[in-house]
């Protein structure tokens, strides 16, 4: 009897990486993260930068560290990342926001290109926890959410089947190697094997008794491996045979560990286990005879395991005897862990170490697989002398260009990202400006606005349409009129709407197309602003400035506001700085455009406080207001000064009303109604005649306050997650920032004559931050900012009109 079975892989030596070989993570991982690798890229996401996936090349020049490129993909935490087995530039991602997106990456990892998702699968009602590509059929993807496993044809964005016979949440899913069946582990402590094409449950058995996270992995045609916990929270490993699924054929107790991540290599029968939060990675071998499970070695790391993945075989350095490589995601770095079989010489390719392995050619189409056709996975030798050279694969989808809509046919020869609407509205993105800001700006800072990186030459081309000099503008010369003039009621019919927009003719190149922003010298900064309030809502940035001073909402009881003179730049003292105390939490603040000393502050006690700042600035902490406006019955969350009339202030509240105040006599002059939910944004037209609102009920409304309290026009707006609105182009159009139904940040342009649908709309990226627009009417330029994390990213957009 042969007592020992000889294995050529049992002596695989673990090559611990030097610190110089550690890979940089995109952000510090606090508790959770995910990582995966394809043949070209490493992708990872961490909880400290929710919704962002960081990409870096799998291989780089020796000694050269490449900083990961951030790609905003979702509006919430990323739960899984998978690369297509047939295209190393095709990536799928899922999130707690219920979305699944398919991304096609540029050859160099999206340097200089706005990366948009190729496919948006229908959003689930709960988080999507797992995604898995079919091993043999192209464009077939499995997803799990709560008690459901769905199989998708991602090219058609269509669910092929729904496996919904789980009694609790699905914890993991895995395809068999031939793609005929799919296995799942569930919180109800059962293991199941499914035939998805016949919508049938093939096998079912009791798994680990503890419902704590269980994982399942195929280990050949008939063997299935599961990891989980017993009643004493000791981690376990079970090996199952699908031909006798009633009980496990082998088991192993591993003591107190975190959630186990199993990785099995079917070519070498090597099994790797790593526990979340542990410092070790264990290597096992699976055999057909006793002992079925043996442990040749274990690797101890100085970093805790957050997540781990295996590199595809086509990404290995086979001429150095590397039979497997793991990527260990820790809190501050990614550790590449190589397993090398010792040989006297690596000059020649060792065929016995590298059998033919799965390659990047699909064996079936989605339709063929759905028609119950079966094919083995296409394989190829890893011998560099004979294997097919891999080249960049373009997007396999017909709608590959839909991420950048409204491209003008006559301007496609330009290199810039020029976008044109179907009604003649053109929106062109100029160069983004990214500034790392410290101290105060880090506290107020706004986050990643889009995956736009590269040279200005790649974003230069911009054409703008110029209007005819004979066309009449709806906005006269802007002057500060008296309150009596603005408060007079015009004799206007209730059905009045803004006049018809004039025709626009002529073409010119924009002189602002090469607009670039630079951070001013540090001597111009105001530094050491402590305790900035992060709780101020998205309707307000908690920050307002005029040409003399800046006001910042500070954290702490009593609604504290710091007022800093722009003439006194530099580092502020640590203590003893005078502030304004409102007595209630601040929700919004704004300087009077016609009095640089007057500051209006909205508070959550339904009051608006008016402050007069001394000419020389604050010299002591003050609690005495100039006046206090009372009238709203619920919390006020935004205030806006009138653009051309002195002493006129508007406010929006949770009582679903907008009130227009005369500051001089502290009285409400007009009350606007018609909203059914929270007002996200309020904007006055440039001539001050009209005001527009964006509401959580996904409606845009235009009011003529002196004519009637109800809207004179309304239409559908963006999704109900937040947004901002601005009047642009001499008051004929509304510029709206918000979110699409798939959680993608977008900007839209609406004609005030017809708010039924936007005349142009562009998806930017996926990020939880709300974009705030700042419009310059002189250059028709919109600056967009948003806040997340500690990066302030500024994008410039040109908005113009053509005569179609």
């Amino acid at each position: 009897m042969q007592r020992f079975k000889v294995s050529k892989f049992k002596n695989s030596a673990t090559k611990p990486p030097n610190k110089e070989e550690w890979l940089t993570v995109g952000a510090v991982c606090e508790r959770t993260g995910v990582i995966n690798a394809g043949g070209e890229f490493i992708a990872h996401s961490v909880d400290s930068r929710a919704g962002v996936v960081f990409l870096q090349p799998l291989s780089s020049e020796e000694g050269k560290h490449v900083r990961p490129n951030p790609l905003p993909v979702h509006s919430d935490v990323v739960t899984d990342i998978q690369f297509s087995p047939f295209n190393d530039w095709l990536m799928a991602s899922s999130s707690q926001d219920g979305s699944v997106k398919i991304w096609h990456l540029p050859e160099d990892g999206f340097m200089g290109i706005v990366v948009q998702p190729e496919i948006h699968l229908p959003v689930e009602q709960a988080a999507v926890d797992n995604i898995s590509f079919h091993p043999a059929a192209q464009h077939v993807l499995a997803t799990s959410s709560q008690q459901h496993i769905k199989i998708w044809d991602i090219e058609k964005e269509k669910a092929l089947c729904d496996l919904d016979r789980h009694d609790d949440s699905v914890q993991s899913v895995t395809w068999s190697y031939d793609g005929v069946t799919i296995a799942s582990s569930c919180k109800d402590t059962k293991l199941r094997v499914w035939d998805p094409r016949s919508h049938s449950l093939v096998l079912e058995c009791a798994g680990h008794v503890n419902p704590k996270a269980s994982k399942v992995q195929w280990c050949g045609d008939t063997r299935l491996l599961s990891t989980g916990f017993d009643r004493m929270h000791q981690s376990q490993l079970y090996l199952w045979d699908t031909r006798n699924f009633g009980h496990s054929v082998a088991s192993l107790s591993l003591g107190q560990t975190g959630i186990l991540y199993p990785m099995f290599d079917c070519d070498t029968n090597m099994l790797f286990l790593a526990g979340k939060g542990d410092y070790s990675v264990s290597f096992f071998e699976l055999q057909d005879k006793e002992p079925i499970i043996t442990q040749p070695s274990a690797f101890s790391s100085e970093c805790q395991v957050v997540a781990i993945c295996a590199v595809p075989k086509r990404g290995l350095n086979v001429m150095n005897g590397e039979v497997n490589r793991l990527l260990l995601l820790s809190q501050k770095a990614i550790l590449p862990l190589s397993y090398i079989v010792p040989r006297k010489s690596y000059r020649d390719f060792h065929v016995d170490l590298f059998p033919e392995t799965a390659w990047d050619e699909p064996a079936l189409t989605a339709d063929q697989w759905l028609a119950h056709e079966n094919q083995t996975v296409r394989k190829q030798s890893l011998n560099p002398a004979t294997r097919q050279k891999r080249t960049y694969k373009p997007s396999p989808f017909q709608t590959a260009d839909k991420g950048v809509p409204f491209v003008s046919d006559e301007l496609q020869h330009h290199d810039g990202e020029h976008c044109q609407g179907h009604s003649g509205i053109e929106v062109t993105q100029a160069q983004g400006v990214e500034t790392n800001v410290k101290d105060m700006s880090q506290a107020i800072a706004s986050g990643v606005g889009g995956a736009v990186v590269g040279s200005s030459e790649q974003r230069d081309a911009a054409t703008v349409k110029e209007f005819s000099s004979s066309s009449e503008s709806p906005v006269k010369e802007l002057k500060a009129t008296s309150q009596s003039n603005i408060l007079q009621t015009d004799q206007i019919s209730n059905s009045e709407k803004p006049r018809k927009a004039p025709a626009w003719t002529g073409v010119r190149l924009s002189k602002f197309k090469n607009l670039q922003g630079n951070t001013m010298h540090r001597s111009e900064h105001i530094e050491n602003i402590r305790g900035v309030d992060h709780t101020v809502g998205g309707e307000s940035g908690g920050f307002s400035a005029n040409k003399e001073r800046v006001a910042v909402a500070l954290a702490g009881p009593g609604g504290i506001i710091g007022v800093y003179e722009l003439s006194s730049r530099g580092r502020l003292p640590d203590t003893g700085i005078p502030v304004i105390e409102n007595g209630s939490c601040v929700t919004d603040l704004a300087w009077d455009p016609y009095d640089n000393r007057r500051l209006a502050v909205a508070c959550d006690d339904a009051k608006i406080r008016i402050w007069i700042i001394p000419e020389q600035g604050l010299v002591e902490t003050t609690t005495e207001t100039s006046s206090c406006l009372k009238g709203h019955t619920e919390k006020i969350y935004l205030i806006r000064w009138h653009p051309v009339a002195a002493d006129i202030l508007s406010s929006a509240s949770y009582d679903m009303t907008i009130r227009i105040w005369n500051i001089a006599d502290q009285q409400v002059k007009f009350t606007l109604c018609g909203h059914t939910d929270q007002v996200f944004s309020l904007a006055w037209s440039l001539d001050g005649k009209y005001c527009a609102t964006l509401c959580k009920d996904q409606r845009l409304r235009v009011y003529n306050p002196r004519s009637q309290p109800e809207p004179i026009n309304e239409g559908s707006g963006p999704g109900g997650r937040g947004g901002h609105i601005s009047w642009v182009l001499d008051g004929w159009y509304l510029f709206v920032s918000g979110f699409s139904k798939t959680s993608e940040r977008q900007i839209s342009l609406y004609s005030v004559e017809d708010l039924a649908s936007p005349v142009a709309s562009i998806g930017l990226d996926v990020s939880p931050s709300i974009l705030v627009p700042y419009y310059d009417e002189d250059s028709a330029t919109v600056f967009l900012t948003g806040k997340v994390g500690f990066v302030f990213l500024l994008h410039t957009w040109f908005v113009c009109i053509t005569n179609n």
Side-chain angles (χ1 to χ4, degrees), residues 445-448 745 769-772 784-788 791-793:
S446 46
V448 177
R745 294 199 297 189
S769 65
I770 301 173
L771 289 172
V772 183
L784 294 173
T785 65
K787 62 176 183 179
V788 165
V791 180
F792 186 64
L793 190 65

Side-chain angles (χ1 to χ4, degrees), residues 225-246:
L225 179 140
S226 67
T227 61
F229 298 87
D230 62 15
R231 290 187 178 90
M232 303 302 294
H233 298 280
Q234 301 284 321
S235 57
Q236 297 175 315
L237 181 151
Y238 285 166
L239 190 65
W240 309 81
D241 192 327
T242 56
R243 294 167 296 185
N244 185 13
F245 207 52

Side-chain angles (χ1 to χ4, degrees), residues 434-603:
E434 183 174 294
T435 307
N436 291 318
V437 192
K438 297 181 180 179
D439 299 330
M440 162 199 164
S441 298
Q442 286 184 344
I444 310 174
S446 46
V448 177
V452 184
V453 188
S455 66
S456 60
E457 296 176 356
Q458 293 173 304
R459 300 185 291 271
D460 262 353
T463 35
V464 220
K465 304 296 181 181
E466 185 177 39
F467 59 85
S468 170
S469 59
S470 62
S471 41
E472 179 186 1
S473 169
V475 183
K476 306 298 182 183
E477 182 180 358
L478 302 182
K479 296 182 179 179
T481 62
S482 68
Q483 36 137 344
S484 60
N485 291 337
I486 191 64
L487 295 178
Q488 288 180 352
T489 303
D490 292 344
Q491 301 299 321
I492 306 173
S493 65
N494 290 347
S495 61
E496 177 189 352
K497 296 182 181 179
R499 289 170 290 163
K500 201 168 184 64
W504 303 84
T505 59
V507 179
R508 67 179 171 87
L509 288 176
S510 169
K511 61 178 68 70
F512 304 103
K513 71 173 184 177
N514 294 319
L515 185 67
Q516 296 186 15
N518 294 306
T519 305
M520 298 181 69
H521 190 269
R522 192 165 184 174
S523 61
E524 302 292 326
H525 297 183
I526 298 177
E527 299 180 327
N528 200 34
I529 296 181
R530 292 173 173 255
V532 176
D533 190 357
H534 297 277
T535 64
V536 178
E539 297 82 13
S540 169
F543 175 84
S544 184
N546 59 27
K547 65 179 182 180
E548 294 183 4
R549 49 186 62 91
V550 59
V552 181
L554 303 178
I560 303 172
I561 294 178
V563 179
Y564 311 103
E565 301 295 312
L566 293 178
S567 59
S568 302
R569 303 178 180 91
R571 183 177 178 84
L572 298 175
D574 293 338
T575 58
I577 300 177
V579 295
I580 292 173
E581 293 183 359
N582 289 275
S584 185
C585 294
V586 175
T587 56
D588 198 10
L589 65 163
W591 291 102
D592 187 338
Y594 302 113
D595 187 347
N596 291 331
R597 297 172 53 202
R598 183 158 64 175
L599 177 68
V601 180
C603 300

Side-chain angles (χ1 to χ4, degrees), residues 688-704:
K689 187 175 182 180
Y690 305 100
C691 67
T693 63
L694 173 63
C695 186
K696 192 176 182 179
D697 61 9
Q698 302 181 30
R699 303 290 290 174
L700 292 172
R701 296 175 175 88
V702 175
Y703 291 84
N704 184 342

Side-chain angles (χ1 to χ4, degrees), residues 611-753:
W611 301 85
I612 303 297
I613 308 301
E615 191 68 38
Q616 70 276 18
L618 283 180
V619 293
E620 61 180 357
T621 297
T622 179
T623 58
E624 297 182 3
T625 63
S626 170
S627 59
C628 185
L629 308 181
K630 303 177 183 178
H632 284 292
T633 59
E634 299 287 346
K635 173 182 175 181
I636 302 169
Y637 43 78
L638 66 87
I639 52 178
R640 297 291 183 268
W641 289 96
H642 197 278
V644 296
D647 295 332
I648 304 302
L649 181 70
S650 58
S651 60
S653 165
Y654 276 106
D655 60 15
M656 308 303 172
T657 64
I658 292 175
R659 306 198 180 199
I660 300 175
W661 306 78
N662 180 1
I663 303 299
D665 59 13
Q666 304 178 30
Q667 297 298 314
V668 176
K669 297 302 179 181
F670 303 108
T671 300
L672 307 181
C673 55
H675 299 95
T676 61
D677 210 328
Q678 176 186 354
V679 177
F680 284 143
S681 182
L682 166 68
W684 286 97
S685 61
L686 299 181
D687 60 357
K689 187 175 182 180
Y690 305 100
C691 67
T693 63
L694 173 63
C695 186
K696 192 176 182 179
D697 61 9
Q698 302 181 30
R699 303 290 290 174
L700 292 172
R701 296 175 175 88
V702 175
Y703 291 84
N704 184 342
R706 296 174 295 179
S707 170
Q708 62 184 54
E710 293 82 17
I712 61 174
N713 195 7
E714 65 177 294
S716 299
R721 289 191 51 218
H724 283 269
I725 190 171
S726 294
W727 292 77
V728 298
L729 300 176
D730 292 332
W732 294 119
Y733 293 88
L734 294 174
F735 183 93
V736 181
S737 65
F739 295 84
S740 68
K741 293 181 180 179
T742 57
S743 302
E744 182 182 41
R745 294 199 297 189
Q746 66 179 16
I747 56 174
S748 304
L749 208 58
Y750 290 80
S751 170
V752 293
E753 298 173 322

